[in-house]
Amino acid sequence: MRYSGDWMSLVDDRILEYIYENDSGSPKEMKDKGHIRYSRQHIARRCRKLNEKGLLTHLGNGVYVITDEGEAYLKGELDTETWTRVNRNEDKADSSTNSVQNST
């Protein structure tokens, strides 16, 4: 499960996934390859926003790479609303505890 902030849009996840899988990417490349079905201009705006927020790094010439924070978000380890790390093991422990308590 990912913890996206209110500032994020659906295309942001697709952009981060594409760049993570391909090591880098540009809005033109993402549009031309057909993986992201938004205009190049919209993809570029979202890449700039993701860069501003620290999930992507702009290398120049329209090319972006994902940051450690971007990878943590994709793995469900970063809440981009509160910018706090999420301990997935604690979530699982809480769920199993709740399940046990609810079944008794």
Side-chain angles (χ1 to χ4, degrees):
M1 179 168 140
R2 293 180 184 156
Y3 302 89
S4 57
D6 287 343
W7 61 272
M8 294 184 79
S9 67
L10 182 60
V11 70
D12 295 346
D13 279 22
R14 303 298 82 79
I15 290 168
L16 291 167
E17 290 164 355
Y18 179 90
I19 293 175
Y20 177 76
E21 291 168 4
N22 293 281
D23 297 323
S24 67
S26 70
K28 180 179 181 342
E29 179 182 305
M30 287 182 254
K31 174 64 179 165
D32 290 349
K33 290 191 176 181
H35 296 287
I36 301 176
R37 297 178 186 234
Y38 290 85
S39 71
R40 183 192 55 75
Q41 294 85 357
H42 185 68
I43 296 168
R45 277 192 299 275
R46 296 313 302 170
C47 284
R48 287 191 298 272
K49 185 66 159 183
L50 292 167
N51 176 67
E52 175 187 309
K53 294 291 190 174
L55 300 179
L56 292 179
T57 297
H58 185 234
L59 299 179
N61 295 326
V63 176
Y64 292 86
V65 294
I66 196 164
T67 63
D68 291 341
E69 289 80 10
E71 288 187 31
Y73 166 74
L74 286 178
K75 293 175 184 174
E77 298 171 354
L78 176 67
D79 181 335
T80 58
E81 181 66 28
T82 61
W83 295 100
T84 56
R85 292 290 177 152
V86 176
N87 186 337
R88 295 178 64 138
N89 292 330
E90 284 181 13
D91 289 345
K92 289 177 187 174
D94 289 343
S95 295
S96 63
T97 302
N98 289 337
S99 297
V100 171
Q101 291 174 346
N102 290 337
S103 64
T104 57

